[in-house]
Amino acid sequence: QVQLVESGGGLVQAGGSLRLSCTASGRTFSSYAMGWFRQAPGKEREFVAAISWPGGNTYYADSVRGRFTISRDNAKNTVYLQMNSLKPEDTAVYYCARGRTPLPATIATRYDYWGQGTQVTVSS
C-alpha cells in the first residue's frame, strides 16, 4: 500500500502563485518517477508535469511550460509543483501520482498510485 497526500491548494487571483506538495509514506518514494495531473469540471484528467528518479529530467504540458516547475526532495519523500502566473484556466483538482518506473511519463496509465487531490481555483 502506497499513500500519497497533496496539500497547498486554495483560491488565488489571476497572476498569483501557489506551491503544491505531495508526500509519500514509507520508503515508496525511492526509484520512482513522480507526476502531477489535473482535472477540471467536465473535462478529462490531463497531464501537467513529471520528474524522473532521482530528479533532473522533467516534462511539462505545453499549457504550463514556463509557468510551472516540478521538483522533488527525496530525503523528505516529497514532490512539489510551483505554479506561477496562474490563469483561470488552471482551475482544477490537482493530483500527484507515483510512476511505475524511474522514467517520467505523460499518460496516466504509467502511474500506479494516486493522491486524493487538492483543489486549485484561480479567479479573474
Side-chain angles (χ1 to χ4, degrees):
Q1 180 67 29
V2 177
Q3 296 178 357
L4 303 174
V5 179
E6 303 100 333
S7 63
L11 175 64
V12 65
Q13 292 189 333
S17 298
L18 286 173
R19 188 178 77 159
L20 306 183
S21 299
C22 173
T23 299
S25 64
R27 53 182 289 155
T28 60
F29 205 65
S30 180
S31 299
Y32 298 99
M34 297 293 294
W36 287 96
F37 291 75
R38 67 187 183 187
Q39 187 167 21
K43 291 190 173 183
E44 296 293 315
R45 187 169 298 187
E46 67 173 344
F47 169 77
V48 176
I51 186 168
S52 65
W53 172 268
N57 296 118
T58 58
Y59 287 86
Y60 297 94
D62 289 343
S63 59
V64 307
R65 188 176 294 110
R67 299 187 298 120
F68 292 10
T69 302
I70 187 171
S71 62
R72 64 194 299 164
D73 185 336
N74 296 329
K76 296 182 177 179
N77 278 359
T78 300
V79 62
Y80 303 96
L81 185 68
Q82 178 67 47
M83 305 184 295
N84 298 327
S85 301
L86 283 162
K87 305 174 181 179
E89 50 262 47
D90 294 318
T91 296
V93 177
Y94 284 70
Y95 300 88
C96 71
R98 191 193 78 171
R100 294 183 176 274
T101 76
L103 302 177
T106 61
I107 58 175
T109 54
R110 296 301 184 98
Y111 296 83
D112 55 3
Y113 292 96
W114 296 77
Q116 82 290 339
T118 185
Q119 177 71 48
V120 172
T121 302
V122 184
S123 62
S124 60

